[in-house]
Amino acid sequence: MSWWPIGANAQRRRVQRSVSEGPLRDYLDVPVPANDTPAEQLPLLAVDLETTGLSARTDRILSVGFVPVDGNVINLSGARHIVVRSQGEVGQSAAVHGLTDDAVAAGVPLAEALAQLLAALRGRVLLAHYATIEQEFLSAACRAVYGHPLPVRVVDTLELQRRLTTTAWDDPRAGSLRLGAARAAHGLPRYRAHEALTDALSCAELWLAQSIALSERGQGRLGQLAR
């Protein structure tokens, strides 16, 4: 059983006490769901980022996609796709996400994109596939804009898929935990990858399938699903 580490709670309270009024403070003022919240009642925000690379220290966020999930319902009315204005060229990463220099130059400032995301994330758990990327880049962005990291509760569909398909004695097949492969394992259709909103929606649909399978194993509460 996985409970939110005590250190993470302490970090959230520490940032809440020290951050100035604004989007990050507004986000922190709304409590996250309790550990015993069942999956069918859990408020989440499926998030995907497209970036210039994989390092939160040296690479930049180019676009943000998110969609709320309320229990077993994906709330498409809350879905957003935001292109983030950025200094410098997108370089070879354009071959992955398809965002051109002109598209990025017409985007919104990072602070505006973060404000929209944090407003949508209030009272919700962040849901992502290989959530380390979203967690690290968003925390780095909050440090740059607000001077503080982003304390956030996370459900990672990649880790849930690993739990569903492997044991302590074997490793997953190569590529089997990728978003498209994980969706296929649950009979979900194939979507175009590396478009932030499409990937967020893909992750949300995968979560609905996984949460049913995990609930049948007696692992249906936030404290058992999140990190």
Side-chain angles (χ1 to χ4, degrees):
M1 182 175 293
S2 171
W3 299 97
W4 205 18
I6 294 174
N9 269 321
Q11 184 195 41
R12 183 181 175 97
R13 290 194 295 271
R14 186 167 58 250
V15 174
Q16 187 177 20
R17 286 194 299 270
S18 55
V19 70
S20 303
E21 290 185 1
L24 181 56
R25 175 62 180 271
D26 292 343
Y27 156 74
L28 292 168
D29 283 344
V30 180
V32 294
N35 274 327
D36 61 354
T37 306
E40 61 269 23
Q41 298 176 13
L42 192 60
L44 303 113
L45 188 72
V47 177
D48 185 81
L49 305 178
E50 295 301 324
T51 65
T52 56
L54 298 178
S55 171
R57 187 171 58 85
T58 58
D59 292 309
R60 293 163 281 128
I61 297 173
L62 298 177
S63 67
V64 180
F66 59 81
V67 60
V69 182
D70 296 310
N72 297 326
V73 177
I74 298 173
N75 181 2
L76 293 177
S77 68
R80 297 288 184 275
H81 180 248
I82 306 166
V83 177
V84 181
R85 189 181 306 162
S86 177
Q87 300 293 327
E89 298 180 348
V90 298
Q92 296 182 348
S93 67
V96 176
H97 47 65
L99 291 167
T100 64
D101 289 334
D102 287 344
V104 172
V108 304
L110 177 61
E112 183 176 333
L114 268 183
Q116 292 187 46
L117 175 69
L118 290 172
L121 192 57
R122 286 178 206 160
R124 295 181 179 273
V125 174
L126 189 149
L127 175 69
H129 196 77
Y130 189 49
T132 298
I133 292 291
E134 279 69 24
Q135 197 168 9
E136 290 184 352
F137 271 86
L138 290 175
S139 200
C142 283
R143 283 186 187 277
V145 174
Y146 308 115
H148 296 277
L150 176 65
V152 66
R153 197 77 194 274
V154 170
V155 170
D156 189 336
T157 51
L158 185 148
E159 292 304 323
L160 297 184
Q161 191 64 19
R162 186 194 307 276
R163 191 185 303 180
L164 284 166
T165 57
T166 64
T167 69
W169 297 276
D170 59 17
D171 294 323
R173 286 185 295 105
S176 65
L177 299 182
R178 291 179 180 172
L179 181 55
R183 284 175 57 85
H186 291 273
L188 296 169
R190 181 177 180 178
Y191 291 160
R192 179 185 175 190
H194 300 301
E195 196 280 335
L197 180 54
T198 302
D199 282 353
L201 178 60
S202 295
C203 176
E205 292 178 346
L206 175 60
W207 153 254
L208 295 186
Q210 291 175 329
S211 64
I212 292 171
L214 288 163
S215 292
E216 290 173 352
R217 297 185 180 189
Q219 301 176 31
R221 296 186 182 275
L222 176 60
Q224 300 167 308
L225 301 166
R227 62 174 170 83

